[in-house]
Amino acid sequence: MPKFIINGGAELSGTIAVKGAKNAGLKIIPASILSSETITIYNLPDIEDISRSLDIMTDLGAVVNKGSDHYTIDTASISHTTINEALANKLRASIMFVGPLLARFGEVKFPHPGGCVIGAGLRPIDLFLEGFEAMGASVEFKENHYHIQAKQLRGCNYFFTTVSVTGTESLILTAVLAKGITTINNSAMEPEIVALADYLNSVGAKISGAGSPTITIEGVTKIGAGPFTTLPDRIEAGTFAILAAVTNSELTISTCRPEQLQSLLTIFTKIGIPYEADKSNLTIKKHGIIKAYDMKTHEYPGFPTDLQSPYTILMTQAQGSSIIHETIYDRRLLFTDMLTQMGANIIMCDPHRVVIHGPTQLHGRKLTSPDLRAGISMVIAGLIAKGTTEIDNIYQIDRGYENIDQRLKSLGADITRIN
Ligand code: EPU
């Protein structure tokens, strides 16, 4: 099984460019199903999750072509509406295909989606199913598959009892071709949702309010397809910013949108990490002592759960005690056990909260990447640890970070991929 070998202690320097956002790419690919015209997508990251999503498209019968800096997807030849089980098992975002297939073809069959194990049991899809039903679809579960059908989807008024990013996006995608008006209340407000709505509007949809808690979609009978440029990945940018801070290196993170990282950068100022930012570059400067600071994850524009694990590593290097409160997923702090094995002083209060006392010297260990975000955090921990860290199950890291070992090497990191 491929693994990373990391020798800690190297100071990093230079510039690292941010790739396209995974969680935007994973929505625009299924969104292409809403039209039988050909979409052109620029700046898709070359990562495992995007490859699996494109595999689902191909499996459905669409024609996917890779150009020098873009992909085209021709959905005119989609020949069936059953989402491949093996592919769905690999990817939570396989659920994003359901709304568009239902909207265009009136039915869809799919298994419960897989993906990162970061919530108790199977990550639920009850809100998606409720949304489809509210729009007039029937939902059946038989032989391990959901079977959803709708002769004519109709607009509805839906309130999300839990704010859900993919839930909001799924309902938008389902409502674009429905009859009448759909209002989504307590919507998620992530920038990737705004990007999706902007694209759909550019090809004929009528969506207003994306980026606010109330989104309104006026159904249309047809949309076209056009060019879409994937926005930069704010989680990758934030991860690199924390990497710079943890290793006390001056790094410039280019082709990013610092204004989408306000929750992180506000904390940086409070804890003593200087930085400079313009519209698309962020430079993290060297710092003195870092102060411990409590953090609670929150939906956008709050502190992203996807940056919780790198921030936790940062707090192991801060002076004093901090509480990390993970409010969104109940398994996302379990990786801290590995940090404790590396020498961190972390006490787990309950599945949602840990207390960290710092600073502590970390020591290299043999580790397994449990999921994508904890996996990249293990890499960051390895880069500051004394000695050698070995991380296996790095498929989990490749799911979301393109060519990460080579890109970190170019900054001076001592990291090797063993195949
Ligand atoms: N939830 C339900 N029922 C549902 C759907 C969600 O109870 O039907 C709950 C979840 O269990 C969770 C909460 O709602 O407690 C929020 O989950 P959400 O639905 O927002 O998560 P998601 O849409 O599945 C997306 C990203 C995640 C990111 C979260 C939160 C994609 C493909 N995934 O997930 O990204 O952590 O929003 O920002 O967009 C990652 O990139 O590593 C990742 C996990």
Side-chain angles (χ1 to χ4, degrees):
M1 214 192 254
K3 53 176 113 170
F4 285 147
I5 307 288
I6 300 169
N7 292 307
E11 191 181 318
L12 310 182
S13 63
T15 298
I16 186 161
V18 172
K19 303 288 179 184
K22 168 178 84 74
N23 288 344
L26 289 174
K27 322 303 165 53
I28 197 67
I29 294 169
S32 68
I33 293 173
L34 289 173
S35 167
S36 54
E37 293 174 23
T38 299
I39 191 173
T40 305
I41 311 175
Y42 296 92
N43 202 32
L44 266 185
D46 188 2
I47 54 176
E48 292 294 334
D49 271 15
I50 292 291
S51 301
R52 296 298 78 75
S53 183
L54 292 169
D55 288 346
I56 293 177
M57 281 308 276
T58 310
D59 185 75
L60 289 169
V63 179
V64 177
N65 278 310
K66 189 172 192 250
S68 56
D69 64 346
H70 66 275
Y71 283 85
T72 57
I73 306 175
D74 176 355
T75 68
S77 52
I78 288 182
S79 54
H80 68 93
T81 57
T82 300
I83 301 173
N84 180 291
E85 185 160 1
L87 292 169
N89 273 337
K90 293 207 154 155
L91 193 67
R92 161 89 177 165
S94 59
I95 188 76
M96 297 312 302
F97 287 83
V98 176
L101 285 169
L102 184 65
R104 183 162 149 204
F105 299 102
E107 86 165 327
V108 51
K109 263 193 197 161
F110 62 101
H112 197 95
C116 278
V117 184
I118 51 181
L122 288 172
R123 281 164 74 191
I125 60 164
D126 54 313
L127 303 176
F128 294 78
L129 300 178
E130 258 180 42
F132 301 134
E133 283 177 326
M135 298 192 71
S138 66
V139 177
E140 238 191 318
F141 187 73
K142 240 183 17 202
E143 289 161 7
N144 250 352
H145 277 71
Y146 297 93
H147 187 194
I148 308 195
Q149 289 174 287
K151 280 207 177 80
Q152 170 69 67
L153 290 164
R154 50 169 198 271
C156 70
N157 190 345
Y158 188 79
F159 186 96
F160 273 98
T161 46
T162 303
V163 176
S164 167
V165 176
T166 44
T168 301
E169 292 163 327
S170 171
L171 210 50
I172 293 176
L173 292 172
T174 314
V176 161
L177 299 179
K179 201 173 183 161
I181 293 179
T182 300
T183 307
I184 310 177
N185 305 289
N186 202 22
S187 307
M189 300 192 285
E190 271 63 6
E192 294 77 23
I193 298 177
V194 179
L196 178 68
D198 285 349
Y199 167 76
L200 292 168
N201 283 338
S202 77
V203 294
K206 291 190 176 164
I207 303 165
S208 58
S212 82
T214 307
I215 300 177
T216 305
I217 303 119
E218 193 184 327
V220 295
T221 49
K222 193 174 179 236
I223 63 166
F228 175 84
T229 300
T230 314
L231 69 163
D233 196 312
R234 65 195 160 88
I235 302 302
E236 190 175 84
T239 304
F240 294 153
I242 295 175
L243 168 72
V246 173
T247 56
N248 204 2
S249 310
E250 178 163 326
L251 289 186
T252 294
I253 298 137
S254 63
T255 58
C256 65
R257 297 198 185 157
E259 89 269 8
Q260 293 172 352
L261 287 172
Q262 274 189 61
S263 56
L264 175 66
L265 296 177
T266 302
I267 293 184
F268 271 15
T269 302
K270 288 175 192 266
I271 66 178
I273 297 168
Y275 67 89
E276 280 170 9
D278 61 26
K279 229 171 160 268
S280 54
N281 297 285
L282 173 63
T283 299
I284 308 297
K285 307 275 193 179
K286 289 188 175 210
H287 54 75
I289 286 174
I290 313 173
K291 282 185 266 175
Y293 193 79
D294 297 348
M295 186 279 285
K296 194 175 184 174
T297 61
H298 195 279
E299 294 83 12
Y300 191 84
F303 196 99
T305 169
D306 295 342
L307 287 179
Q308 174 264 106
S309 48
Y311 184 81
T312 299
I313 312 273
L314 180 61
M315 285 301 101
T316 68
Q317 304 308 303
Q319 187 81 44
S321 301
S322 52
I323 300 179
I324 306 293
H325 189 166
E326 169 56 63
T327 64
I328 302 195
Y329 295 114
D330 43 20
R331 290 200 190 176
R332 255 200 172 164
L333 279 171
L334 297 187
F335 85 103
T336 55
D337 187 41
M338 286 190 249
L339 292 180
T340 309
Q341 288 171 34
M342 294 177 86
N345 184 348
I346 301 181
I347 298 164
M348 181 161 270
C349 310
D350 59 51
H352 285 279
R353 286 174 307 157
V354 293
V355 178
I356 305 170
H357 301 287
T360 43
Q361 172 67 57
L362 302 184
H363 296 273
R365 286 278 177 276
K366 280 192 174 183
L367 306 167
T368 294
S369 169
D371 66 72
L372 167 61
R373 306 302 175 188
I376 194 70
S377 303
M378 306 279 65
V379 171
I380 296 175
L383 288 171
I384 53 166
K386 235 190 192 134
T388 303
T389 296
E390 196 177 308
I391 305 175
D392 64 23
N393 198 25
I394 60 174
Y395 175 83
Q396 288 297 333
I397 302 172
D398 293 334
R399 286 185 45 217
Y401 297 91
E402 178 177 328
N403 204 7
I404 192 65
D405 44 322
Q406 292 306 321
R407 289 160 78 207
L408 293 179
K409 253 189 185 161
S410 75
L411 300 175
D414 185 346
I415 176 169
T416 309
R417 178 186 292 263
I418 311 273
N419 279 313

